[in-house]
Amino acid sequence: MDETIAGTETAQIPKQRGESLQDTAVRYAEERHWDVFPGTWLEAVDGVQRCSCGEAACPVPGAHPAREDWATQATGSATVARRLWAKQPTASILLPTGRTFDAIDVPETAGFLALARMERMELTLGPVTCTPDRRMHFFVLPGASAKVSDLVRKLGWPPASLDLVALGEGSYVAGPPTRYGSQGAVQWARRPTPANRWLPDAEELISPLAYACGREGRR
């Protein structure tokens, strides 16, 4: 699957290596019209990278909202995004779901299994991220969170039996290259490109995703 992660297309969002978090956040707003907001960041404490929230046992250090009203802070303006990251250049890049996209969250092993199957089926895919805690997020059209349970049920799976959830309004995903403490950085399994600007509906992807999650759940 390395070829999938690296990608062979010219990405609309350029390589992020060496690019500041501010520049990347601005590109998400400017080129993809995604809302963005700055989250927490990492601070060195006694030589250890700790989350700016101050919680020593933070489960996602440096990669969660820094304030409760984050939804009102999220912006699709490149100008505002530049100003927000100017205040805290190392803040994580968080992308609210339920606006320009929802995200289907699955385990990494099931996600790569489903991704391979989708490619064989020649399905239209949107961007897909891999997180350091071994999750994958498939970007789909807004509205997925309201219907995924019914779609899964129609396929014969009790929704609670699958490790699959749709993130919609009130949720968010971390955008590459946000880091989770010392675990590593979020990266693209499928990069944003001009070809995948138009996102698929959850209904188009749910069968291979549910199958892969069900298979993983039986192991």
Side-chain angles (χ1 to χ4, degrees):
M1 299 306 297
D2 288 343
E3 185 178 337
T4 301
I5 293 178
T8 56
E9 299 174 281
T10 301
Q12 181 163 357
I13 305 293
K15 294 179 183 177
Q16 291 157 359
R17 184 170 296 174
E19 189 173 36
S20 72
L21 288 162
Q22 181 190 58
D23 287 344
T24 303
V26 167
R27 288 188 185 281
Y28 287 154
E30 198 168 57
E31 298 180 1
R32 297 299 287 203
H33 305 293
W34 290 341
D35 282 6
V36 297
F37 68 97
T40 52
W41 56 92
L42 297 172
E43 298 175 331
V45 179
D46 297 327
V48 178
Q49 292 290 319
R50 295 281 176 83
C51 185
S52 61
C53 73
E55 178 58 58
C58 180
V60 281
H64 64 86
R67 42 194 278 184
E68 291 185 3
D69 65 342
W70 61 263
T72 63
Q73 188 186 27
T75 179
S77 164
T79 301
V80 175
R82 189 172 295 283
R83 186 163 65 243
L84 288 172
W85 268 269
K87 296 176 182 177
Q88 181 47 254
T90 58
S92 53
I93 302 172
L94 303 182
L95 312 172
T97 49
R99 300 189 182 190
T100 50
F101 63 86
D102 279 5
I104 301 179
D105 177 346
V106 298
E108 183 182 86
T109 48
F112 275 119
L113 178 65
L115 191 56
R117 191 176 184 198
M118 291 172 188
E119 288 173 340
R120 288 196 299 271
M121 296 167 68
E122 298 184 347
L123 294 181
T124 299
L125 291 170
V128 183
T129 62
C130 292
T131 66
D133 57 354
R134 303 183 67 80
R135 305 294 297 183
M136 289 180 74
H137 295 131
F138 288 74
F139 289 26
V140 294
L141 289 172
S145 62
K147 58 186 178 183
V148 156
S149 290
D150 284 341
L151 292 172
V152 168
R153 199 175 288 111
K154 287 177 181 177
L155 291 170
W157 299 93
S161 70
L162 299 182
D163 186 2
L164 178 157
V165 62
L167 305 176
E169 187 174 358
S171 296
Y172 63 90
V173 296
T178 293
R179 298 191 65 82
Y180 284 25
S182 60
Q183 297 179 57
V186 182
Q187 55 185 306
W188 293 111
R190 275 277 183 153
R191 297 180 183 274
T193 70
N196 64 22
R197 173 177 290 280
W198 307 109
L199 300 176
D201 189 278
E203 193 166 356
E204 300 171 54
L205 308 186
I206 200 65
S207 179
L209 284 171
Y211 169 80
C213 288
R215 178 172 165 176
E216 285 300 307
R218 290 195 297 269
R219 287 189 175 183

